[in-house]
Amino acid sequence: MNHRRSATGSRGPLSAALGAARENARAALMADIKFRSARDQQLIDEDRIEEYVQSLVEGGVGGFSVVTEPQHFGGSLALAARVRSATTLPIIRKEFFARLEQIDESAAAGFDAVQLTISVIRQLDLIERIAGRAVDLGLEVVICIQDRTELKQALALGATIIGINNRDILSLETDNGTVRRTANLMTSMPDEVLVLSESSMLSAEDVKQAVSAGIDGVLIGTAFAKAADRVALAREFHKALKK
């Protein structure tokens, strides 16, 4: 098992949740709300989003991410507002960020954090400006990576929370990603950085593999969306979260 020491830095709602899990030798369980995907088509019924959120809260998740991109993932700020109204837990906005104005609207919509994906934005100076605007508005920033080059870039940007996407966002996550990506990148991860492993976790065994690599939280979407009993599945995942 990989027991990493306490993370330092800002303690907004997201980092507080991840840091608390680390202090208790666990990983945090978080849910990704993605209404549609190129791989699986419709995942979540928009008309029942409040019920969906409440079932996951009942299952003990520690936070959410909401994909607001409309064309490929069926999201919107209006749907995110309904998620925000249904829970007080921390929420990350996932979007194809390209403009500072998107950060302003994220703060106005009540998000606690934004995820900036290096392979999508590409320009490190733009990521730095967008991240700076987020911090100025009181939002935490998750820098999302997919390989070692991007890990080095994220660290150079001063990332305190890193998301590792086990799938390829540039192919709209239609690939067969695995948790091995997380395991490989964690061997070069500084102790002080909080880490979320994202995507490709469909079973408790997948979660165990991510946790054994030393991550601080898992972000799970499709498994919850397809589950007949989300509360039971969340409780099953909780058993796999102890380090």
Side-chain angles (χ1 to χ4, degrees):
M1 296 294 180
N2 187 333
H3 297 279
R4 301 196 301 143
R5 65 175 180 267
S6 299
T8 59
S10 62
R11 299 288 287 184
L14 176 60
S15 59
L18 296 175
R22 181 187 287 195
E23 294 293 342
N24 288 295
R26 297 181 60 82
L29 176 63
M30 304 189 70
D32 183 43
I33 296 181
K34 180 168 57 182
F35 292 91
R36 187 175 67 242
S37 77
R39 181 188 178 97
D40 298 293
Q41 302 306 310
Q42 196 69 29
L43 288 169
I44 300 172
D45 183 353
E46 297 176 10
D47 293 335
R48 306 183 70 178
I49 186 59
E50 289 82 5
E51 176 187 333
Y52 187 87
V53 170
Q54 286 304 313
S55 66
L56 291 170
V57 172
E58 183 181 347
V61 302
F64 293 87
S65 65
V66 179
V67 182
T68 58
E69 193 280 330
Q71 181 178 355
H72 302 291
F73 297 106
S76 69
L77 284 173
L79 288 169
R82 289 172 58 189
V83 176
R84 175 75 285 170
S85 296
T87 181
T88 59
L89 292 172
I91 304 178
I92 308 164
R93 183 184 183 187
K94 296 172 75 173
E95 176 60 84
F96 291 158
F97 287 102
R99 307 183 312 278
L100 295 179
E101 291 79 9
Q102 292 172 297
I103 301 302
D104 292 57
E105 67 184 15
S106 300
F111 286 96
D112 300 286
V114 292
Q115 178 164 290
L116 308 181
T117 302
I118 289 180
S119 62
V120 170
I121 303 175
R122 297 188 179 181
Q123 302 174 52
L124 296 185
D125 59 338
L126 178 57
I127 296 175
E128 190 170 28
R129 291 199 302 273
I130 292 175
R133 181 62 176 168
V135 171
D136 288 346
L137 294 177
L139 300 174
E140 292 191 278
V141 177
V142 180
I143 302 294
C144 188
I145 66 168
Q146 297 184 148
D147 57 35
R148 290 186 185 278
T149 297
E150 292 180 358
L151 172 57
K152 291 178 181 177
Q153 292 170 334
L155 296 176
L157 288 165
T160 59
I161 308 174
I162 286 178
I164 299 174
N165 193 342
N166 297 308
R167 289 198 175 118
D168 180 14
I169 189 60
L170 296 181
S171 68
L172 301 178
E173 299 181 345
T174 56
D175 60 309
N176 293 316
T178 75
V179 183
R180 286 195 298 273
R181 176 174 290 174
T182 288
N184 289 337
L185 290 175
M186 286 301 294
T187 61
S188 302
M189 191 69 65
D191 288 343
E192 65 271 15
V193 176
L194 293 164
V195 184
L196 273 169
S197 182
E198 309 181 11
S199 298
S200 297
M201 287 169 283
L202 300 175
S203 68
E205 185 56 38
D206 293 332
V207 172
K208 285 181 182 179
Q209 289 182 38
V211 172
S212 66
I215 52 83
D216 302 293
V218 292
L219 186 60
I220 295 174
T222 301
F224 282 137
K226 291 185 172 184
D229 188 336
R230 288 181 291 277
V231 175
L233 182 61
R235 290 172 177 167
E236 180 181 343
F237 285 153
H238 271 293
K239 297 175 183 177
L241 294 173
K242 188 171 180 59
K243 297 182 180 180

